[in-house]
mmCIF file of all heavy atoms in Angstrom:
data_model
loop_
_atom_site.group_PDB
_atom_site.id
_atom_site.type_symbol
_atom_site.label_atom_id
_atom_site.label_comp_id
_atom_site.label_asym_id
_atom_site.label_seq_id
_atom_site.Cartn_x
_atom_site.Cartn_y
_atom_site.Cartn_z
ATOM 1 N N LEU A 38 83.908 125.311 106.182
ATOM 2 C CA LEU A 38 83.712 126.124 107.379
ATOM 3 C C LEU A 38 84.549 125.643 108.563
ATOM 4 O O LEU A 38 84.564 126.286 109.609
ATOM 5 C CB LEU A 38 82.233 126.149 107.762
ATOM 6 C CG LEU A 38 81.377 126.993 106.817
ATOM 7 C CD1 LEU A 38 79.918 126.851 107.177
ATOM 8 C CD2 LEU A 38 81.791 128.441 106.868
ATOM 9 N N MET A 41 86.965 128.247 109.887
ATOM 10 C CA MET A 41 86.336 129.278 110.703
ATOM 11 C C MET A 41 86.161 128.781 112.138
ATOM 12 O O MET A 41 86.383 129.521 113.092
ATOM 13 C CB MET A 41 84.981 129.686 110.128
ATOM 14 C CG MET A 41 84.415 130.880 110.861
ATOM 15 S SD MET A 41 82.740 131.369 110.430
ATOM 16 C CE MET A 41 82.463 130.826 108.819
ATOM 17 N N MET A 42 85.806 127.510 112.275
ATOM 18 C CA MET A 42 85.665 126.946 113.612
ATOM 19 C C MET A 42 87.023 126.979 114.329
ATOM 20 O O MET A 42 87.103 127.329 115.506
ATOM 21 C CB MET A 42 85.147 125.512 113.525
ATOM 22 C CG MET A 42 84.902 124.874 114.882
ATOM 23 S SD MET A 42 84.316 123.192 114.752
ATOM 24 C CE MET A 42 85.771 122.353 114.182
ATOM 25 N N PHE A 45 87.793 130.442 115.651
ATOM 26 C CA PHE A 45 87.105 130.734 116.908
ATOM 27 C C PHE A 45 87.743 129.984 118.076
ATOM 28 O O PHE A 45 87.831 130.508 119.186
ATOM 29 C CB PHE A 45 85.617 130.413 116.801
ATOM 30 C CG PHE A 45 84.847 131.444 116.029
ATOM 31 C CD1 PHE A 45 84.127 131.096 114.903
ATOM 32 C CD2 PHE A 45 84.844 132.770 116.426
ATOM 33 C CE1 PHE A 45 83.423 132.050 114.195
ATOM 34 C CE2 PHE A 45 84.140 133.732 115.722
ATOM 35 C CZ PHE A 45 83.426 133.369 114.602
ATOM 36 N N ILE A 46 88.199 128.764 117.816
ATOM 37 C CA ILE A 46 88.897 128.029 118.878
ATOM 38 C C ILE A 46 90.177 128.773 119.258
ATOM 39 O O ILE A 46 90.509 128.918 120.430
ATOM 40 C CB ILE A 46 89.212 126.588 118.423
ATOM 41 C CG1 ILE A 46 87.918 125.795 118.289
ATOM 42 C CG2 ILE A 46 90.144 125.897 119.409
ATOM 43 C CD1 ILE A 46 88.111 124.440 117.641
ATOM 44 N N ALA A 49 89.338 131.799 121.321
ATOM 45 C CA ALA A 49 88.955 131.474 122.697
ATOM 46 C C ALA A 49 90.127 130.900 123.476
ATOM 47 O O ALA A 49 90.174 131.000 124.682
ATOM 48 C CB ALA A 49 87.816 130.478 122.682
ATOM 49 N N TRP A 54 89.004 124.231 125.676
ATOM 50 C CA TRP A 54 88.243 123.038 125.315
ATOM 51 C C TRP A 54 88.348 121.951 126.374
ATOM 52 O O TRP A 54 87.607 120.982 126.351
ATOM 53 C CB TRP A 54 88.701 122.503 123.965
ATOM 54 C CG TRP A 54 88.302 123.433 122.884
ATOM 55 C CD1 TRP A 54 89.119 124.271 122.209
ATOM 56 C CD2 TRP A 54 86.996 123.673 122.397
ATOM 57 N NE1 TRP A 54 88.402 125.012 121.315
ATOM 58 C CE2 TRP A 54 87.082 124.664 121.411
ATOM 59 C CE3 TRP A 54 85.741 123.159 122.701
ATOM 60 C CZ2 TRP A 54 85.982 125.140 120.725
ATOM 61 C CZ3 TRP A 54 84.647 123.620 122.010
ATOM 62 C CH2 TRP A 54 84.766 124.610 121.026
ATOM 63 N N ALA A 58 81.159 122.188 128.590
ATOM 64 C CA ALA A 58 80.427 123.157 127.755
ATOM 65 C C ALA A 58 79.905 124.324 128.585
ATOM 66 O O ALA A 58 79.819 125.448 128.098
ATOM 67 C CB ALA A 58 79.272 122.462 127.044
ATOM 68 N N ALA A 61 82.510 127.131 128.972
ATOM 69 C CA ALA A 61 83.082 127.696 127.749
ATOM 70 C C ALA A 61 83.109 129.219 127.858
ATOM 71 O O ALA A 61 82.229 129.828 128.464
ATOM 72 C CB ALA A 61 82.244 127.288 126.543
ATOM 73 N N PRO A 62 84.117 129.847 127.256
ATOM 74 C CA PRO A 62 84.192 131.315 127.327
ATOM 75 C C PRO A 62 83.053 131.975 126.563
ATOM 76 O O PRO A 62 82.427 131.376 125.703
ATOM 77 C CB PRO A 62 85.546 131.629 126.707
ATOM 78 C CG PRO A 62 85.889 130.454 125.885
ATOM 79 C CD PRO A 62 85.232 129.272 126.522
ATOM 80 N N LYS A 63 82.833 133.229 126.888
ATOM 81 C CA LYS A 63 81.714 133.957 126.284
ATOM 82 C C LYS A 63 81.857 134.080 124.775
ATOM 83 O O LYS A 63 80.854 134.067 124.059
ATOM 84 C CB LYS A 63 81.601 135.340 126.927
ATOM 85 C CG LYS A 63 81.155 135.259 128.350
ATOM 86 C CD LYS A 63 81.097 136.613 128.978
ATOM 87 C CE LYS A 63 80.725 136.398 130.444
ATOM 88 N NZ LYS A 63 81.110 137.445 131.300
ATOM 89 N N ILE A 64 83.079 134.176 124.283
ATOM 90 C CA ILE A 64 83.247 134.315 122.831
ATOM 91 C C ILE A 64 82.770 133.056 122.104
ATOM 92 O O ILE A 64 82.285 133.120 120.988
ATOM 93 C CB ILE A 64 84.710 134.665 122.475
ATOM 94 C CG1 ILE A 64 84.780 135.128 121.027
ATOM 95 C CG2 ILE A 64 85.623 133.479 122.691
ATOM 96 C CD1 ILE A 64 86.056 135.828 120.675
ATOM 97 N N MET A 65 82.851 131.896 122.759
ATOM 98 C CA MET A 65 82.361 130.677 122.131
ATOM 99 C C MET A 65 80.833 130.651 122.090
ATOM 100 O O MET A 65 80.246 130.093 121.181
ATOM 101 C CB MET A 65 82.889 129.436 122.864
ATOM 102 C CG MET A 65 84.390 129.242 122.722
ATOM 103 S SD MET A 65 84.995 129.347 121.025
ATOM 104 C CE MET A 65 84.239 127.941 120.291
ATOM 105 N N TRP A 66 80.198 131.268 123.094
ATOM 106 C CA TRP A 66 78.738 131.350 123.060
ATOM 107 C C TRP A 66 78.283 132.294 121.949
ATOM 108 O O TRP A 66 77.170 132.186 121.448
ATOM 109 C CB TRP A 66 78.195 131.820 124.407
ATOM 110 C CG TRP A 66 78.365 130.784 125.476
ATOM 111 C CD1 TRP A 66 79.267 130.796 126.487
ATOM 112 C CD2 TRP A 66 77.634 129.572 125.612
ATOM 113 N NE1 TRP A 66 79.145 129.678 127.256
ATOM 114 C CE2 TRP A 66 78.132 128.896 126.743
ATOM 115 C CE3 TRP A 66 76.586 128.985 124.894
ATOM 116 C CZ2 TRP A 66 77.646 127.670 127.170
ATOM 117 C CZ3 TRP A 66 76.092 127.763 125.339
ATOM 118 C CH2 TRP A 66 76.618 127.115 126.456
ATOM 119 N N ILE A 67 79.131 133.206 121.563
ATOM 120 C CA ILE A 67 78.825 134.097 120.436
ATOM 121 C C ILE A 67 79.173 133.404 119.121
ATOM 122 O O ILE A 67 78.453 133.504 118.132
ATOM 123 C CB ILE A 67 79.606 135.422 120.577
ATOM 124 C CG1 ILE A 67 79.130 136.172 121.813
ATOM 125 C CG2 ILE A 67 79.458 136.269 119.335
ATOM 126 C CD1 ILE A 67 80.013 137.357 122.180
ATOM 127 N N ALA A 68 80.285 132.672 119.111
ATOM 128 C CA ALA A 68 80.775 132.059 117.876
ATOM 129 C C ALA A 68 79.859 130.937 117.382
ATOM 130 O O ALA A 68 79.660 130.796 116.177
ATOM 131 C CB ALA A 68 82.184 131.527 118.097
ATOM 132 N N ALA A 69 79.318 130.153 118.289
ATOM 133 C CA ALA A 69 78.489 129.018 117.861
ATOM 134 C C ALA A 69 77.239 129.479 117.101
ATOM 135 O O ALA A 69 76.986 128.982 115.993
ATOM 136 C CB ALA A 69 78.126 128.158 119.066
ATOM 137 N N PRO A 70 76.444 130.425 117.617
ATOM 138 C CA PRO A 70 75.291 130.869 116.822
ATOM 139 C C PRO A 70 75.706 131.595 115.543
ATOM 140 O O PRO A 70 75.010 131.513 114.526
ATOM 141 C CB PRO A 70 74.535 131.823 117.744
ATOM 142 C CG PRO A 70 75.057 131.606 119.099
ATOM 143 C CD PRO A 70 76.404 130.996 118.955
ATOM 144 N N LEU A 71 76.843 132.293 115.590
ATOM 145 C CA LEU A 71 77.327 132.962 114.381
ATOM 146 C C LEU A 71 77.665 131.941 113.305
ATOM 147 O O LEU A 71 77.266 132.093 112.139
ATOM 148 C CB LEU A 71 78.546 133.828 114.707
ATOM 149 C CG LEU A 71 79.149 134.590 113.530
ATOM 150 C CD1 LEU A 71 78.143 135.605 113.003
ATOM 151 C CD2 LEU A 71 80.425 135.272 113.940
ATOM 152 N N ASN A 72 78.380 130.886 113.683
ATOM 153 C CA ASN A 72 78.680 129.829 112.717
ATOM 154 C C ASN A 72 77.408 129.181 112.189
ATOM 155 O O ASN A 72 77.284 128.944 110.983
ATOM 156 C CB ASN A 72 79.559 128.752 113.361
ATOM 157 C CG ASN A 72 81.027 129.009 113.126
ATOM 158 O OD1 ASN A 72 81.396 129.727 112.219
ATOM 159 N ND2 ASN A 72 81.854 128.405 113.945
ATOM 160 N N LEU A 73 76.482 128.893 113.079
ATOM 161 C CA LEU A 73 75.224 128.293 112.651
ATOM 162 C C LEU A 73 74.475 129.226 111.701
ATOM 163 O O LEU A 73 73.928 128.789 110.689
ATOM 164 C CB LEU A 73 74.356 127.955 113.860
ATOM 165 C CG LEU A 73 73.034 127.287 113.542
ATOM 166 C CD1 LEU A 73 73.259 125.936 112.883
ATOM 167 C CD2 LEU A 73 72.196 127.156 114.794
ATOM 168 N N GLY A 74 74.457 130.506 112.015
ATOM 169 C CA GLY A 74 73.798 131.471 111.138
ATOM 170 C C GLY A 74 74.438 131.535 109.762
ATOM 171 O O GLY A 74 73.737 131.601 108.746
ATOM 172 N N ILE A 75 75.753 131.499 109.732
ATOM 173 C CA ILE A 75 76.449 131.527 108.435
ATOM 174 C C ILE A 75 76.136 130.272 107.635
ATOM 175 O O ILE A 75 75.871 130.338 106.424
ATOM 176 C CB ILE A 75 77.967 131.710 108.649
ATOM 177 C CG1 ILE A 75 78.251 133.115 109.169
ATOM 178 C CG2 ILE A 75 78.738 131.447 107.371
ATOM 179 C CD1 ILE A 75 79.683 133.335 109.613
ATOM 180 N N ILE A 76 76.137 129.127 108.295
ATOM 181 C CA ILE A 76 75.832 127.873 107.589
ATOM 182 C C ILE A 76 74.409 127.888 107.052
ATOM 183 O O ILE A 76 74.167 127.527 105.899
ATOM 184 C CB ILE A 76 76.065 126.666 108.523
ATOM 185 C CG1 ILE A 76 77.556 126.492 108.793
ATOM 186 C CG2 ILE A 76 75.480 125.392 107.930
ATOM 187 C CD1 ILE A 76 77.869 125.484 109.861
ATOM 188 N N VAL A 77 73.453 128.327 107.858
ATOM 189 C CA VAL A 77 72.059 128.384 107.408
ATOM 190 C C VAL A 77 71.918 129.360 106.243
ATOM 191 O O VAL A 77 71.243 129.067 105.249
ATOM 192 C CB VAL A 77 71.128 128.755 108.581
ATOM 193 C CG1 VAL A 77 69.740 129.119 108.101
ATOM 194 C CG2 VAL A 77 71.068 127.622 109.586
#
Side-chain angles (χ1 to χ4, degrees):
L38 288 174
M41 188 187 334
M42 183 181 71
F45 284 122
I46 292 171
W54 291 106
K63 291 178 184 157
I64 194 165
M65 292 311 294
W66 290 106
I67 295 169
L71 180 64
N72 267 340
L73 182 63
I75 291 171
I76 291 171
V77 167

